[in-house]
Amino acid sequence: MSRPAFPLPPNATIGIVGGGQLGRMTVLAAARLGYRCHVLTPEEKSPAAQVAAAVTLGEYEDPSALADFASRVDVVTFEFENVSAGGLDLLAALKPVRPAPAVLRVSQDRIAEKSFLNGAGVPTVPWRKVVTPADLAAAVGAIGLPAVLKTTRLGYDGKGQKLVRERADLGPAFTALAPKPLILEGFVDFACEISVIAARGADGRAVAFDAVENRHHEHILDLTLAPAPVGSEIAATARQIALRVAAALDLVGLIAVEMFVDSNGRVLANEIAPRPHNSGHWTIDACPASQFELFVRAVAGLKLPEARRHSDAVMKNLVGPEEASLWGDILASPGLIPHLYGKAEARPGRKMGHVTRLFPRGSLPGAFGIRAALAPLRARADALEADERFLAGHACAGQPA
Ligand code: AMP
């Protein structure tokens, strides 16, 4: 079996498991660096496949599809977490897989993830593993209420979790959530949600973008504000956490660490995602080297540049048919930088694209300015009420750095 020499030379082929928009934007960044990308996906006409040099259409568990894919690439990476770690092991026997399958395993299971984070000295909410109703009662005794009961695998965008306010909620929540085991987490009445994206190369050099604030609407990321309007200590702590997580995982690739800032200004890690992340899309337009370029560089063994931000930015996701229908208005709005993912059908809740608005560094506006800057997207008030509430009352812990 031939092993490629890193750094990969121009025209080498990066294999990407997964065909979504994260893969698409990775392919575009890889192309700028002179690499070809080969995508493995079961989905015909996937966003990534539309721009890739080649595609293997196949299931992630299918050994013959995996072997065919591996035979055509120089290195393998992945663009979403719910690929089978067993499948990645099979690929790892054939080609280098970056990040390693072991990293993916940690991120695929909330219990493994929280154990790992705490073991690395990273604070999280208090949590307990729950297999039986008796475990749940004991966990509530230890953590108290309210709390959040979650499945440990395959949860995303708020799916697979229930808020438990009082004891009467426990039985129904336990019954509704599957598969077991579950995890009970203390509820954080957070001041804001932030994230940091870090890249780490095989030589151990790591870089991290500035912390950003993320606002969700109906459990789906709606807005990212870069930088997060938090105090400089909180921002620094968040970056340190992401760099510590990357080092503790011996990561080669990219990682997003989602965190809560609680009302006392404490930073608690919530989730890790060892791949490009929606909260890093702003880096395409506001940084000389985006999260996608850093990802490709780490996977290809190239030197990592600084994760530097030349502008402040607001990123707004375009979700579902309603926001996708604003595309014409977006194109007609000077200053909105448009990104569309090539999805044929705009189903409710589906991420169809995003827009970024840049501001000179250090001049991210407040609520009023952000609303004005995203003007065509603020037109549909009903879908944006949550943001209105946020923007009106926006005051995360601490003051902007
Ligand atoms: P997750 O799937 O863990 O990323 O959770 C999705 C969203 O649910 C988060 O972005 C938070 O807004 C909310 N959430 C999750 N866990 C907690 C918690 N322990 N306390 C408060 N809110 C939470």
Side-chain angles (χ1 to χ4, degrees):
M1 170 178 43
S2 69
R3 289 268 159 187
F6 289 106
L8 295 182
N11 301 316
T13 302
I14 298 174
I16 303 177
V17 179
Q21 63 267 19
L22 300 174
R24 178 184 179 98
M25 290 182 271
T26 301
V27 172
L28 297 174
R32 282 181 53 210
L33 296 174
Y35 294 123
R36 296 159 46 87
C37 287
H38 186 123
V39 168
L40 171 68
T41 170
E43 188 196 341
E44 275 191 55
K45 299 185 184 146
S46 66
Q50 290 171 31
V51 296
V55 186
T56 296
L57 261 189
E59 298 295 331
Y60 303 128
E61 327 291 324
D62 176 358
S64 67
L66 291 168
D68 174 69
F69 169 68
S71 73
R72 295 166 194 273
V73 305
D74 294 302
V75 64
V76 172
T77 192
F78 46 89
E79 62 99 61
F80 80 129
E81 283 126 279
N82 293 340
V83 304
S84 116
L88 281 185
D89 284 342
L90 207 153
L91 290 170
L94 302 170
K95 287 286 157 72
V97 175
R98 293 179 157 186
V103 172
L104 187 76
R105 283 205 169 83
V106 171
S107 72
Q108 280 180 328
D109 180 312
R110 289 187 198 273
I111 290 172
E113 185 175 54
K114 291 248 169 15
S115 305
F116 162 78
L117 287 167
N118 295 159
V122 174
T124 62
V125 293
W127 61 274
R128 291 285 186 287
K129 179 177 175 177
V130 171
V131 184
T132 64
D135 294 339
L136 182 55
V140 169
I143 293 173
L145 292 176
V148 187
L149 190 62
K150 300 180 179 180
T151 54
T152 51
R153 303 183 72 83
L154 302 180
Y156 65 97
D157 288 346
K159 295 186 175 63
Q161 55 178 276
K162 302 256 175 229
L163 177 63
V164 229
R165 292 177 198 280
E166 48 192 69
R167 286 189 177 270
D169 299 336
L170 291 176
F174 182 84
T175 310
L177 293 170
K180 310 293 191 278
L182 307 174
I183 182 172
L184 187 78
E185 296 181 4
F187 175 80
V188 199
D189 188 13
F190 53 77
C192 62
E193 293 186 85
I194 61 175
S195 58
V196 172
I197 292 171
R200 187 169 177 274
D203 60 358
R205 179 179 141 75
V207 295
F209 289 102
D210 285 328
V212 297
E213 180 175 359
N214 300 314
R215 302 297 310 189
H216 297 86
H217 179 64
E218 292 177 351
H219 299 293
I220 298 172
L221 182 67
D222 182 36
L223 284 179
T224 294
L225 275 56
V230 296
S232 52
E233 262 182 49
I234 291 173
T237 302
R239 285 181 84 248
Q240 281 158 12
I241 286 176
L243 290 168
R244 184 188 295 189
V245 168
L249 284 168
D250 197 17
L251 176 84
V252 180
L254 195 76
I255 193 151
V257 182
E258 296 180 47
M259 296 168 251
F260 299 125
V261 180
D262 76 9
S263 48
N264 299 317
R266 284 212 319 148
V267 182
L268 305 169
N270 177 37
E271 272 196 330
I272 62 176
R275 53 158 173 81
H277 194 259
N278 196 167
S279 70
H281 291 359
W282 62 276
T283 61
I284 298 175
D285 301 306
C287 301
S290 72
Q291 65 161 345
F292 298 101
E293 177 168 341
L294 264 52
F295 178 43
V296 171
R297 282 186 181 241
V299 168
L302 299 179
K303 192 170 160 17
L304 292 181
E306 291 303 314
R308 197 172 65 76
R309 174 174 56 78
H310 57 66
S311 301
D312 289 0
V314 175
M315 189 284 312
K316 167 90 179 79
N317 267 341
L318 302 176
V319 179
E322 189 161 345
E323 292 186 342
S325 74
L326 299 172
W327 187 242
D329 299 337
I330 290 165
L331 290 177
S333 302
L336 291 185
I337 305 174
H339 298 258
L340 207 57
Y341 306 148
K343 298 181 183 179
E345 199 192 336
R347 291 193 290 272
R350 199 171 196 208
K351 292 173 183 167
M352 301 304 293
H354 71 269
V355 299
T356 309
R357 177 94 200 206
L358 298 182
F359 304 90
R361 200 183 148 102
S363 63
L364 188 71
F368 185 75
I370 290 176
R371 205 159 48 220
L374 295 172
L377 285 155
R378 301 289 113 181
R380 309 244 162 141
D382 51 342
L384 297 163
E385 260 174 33
D387 297 338
E388 295 285 330
R389 274 201 302 280
F390 148 57
L391 291 169
H394 186 235
C396 195
Q399 288 305 307

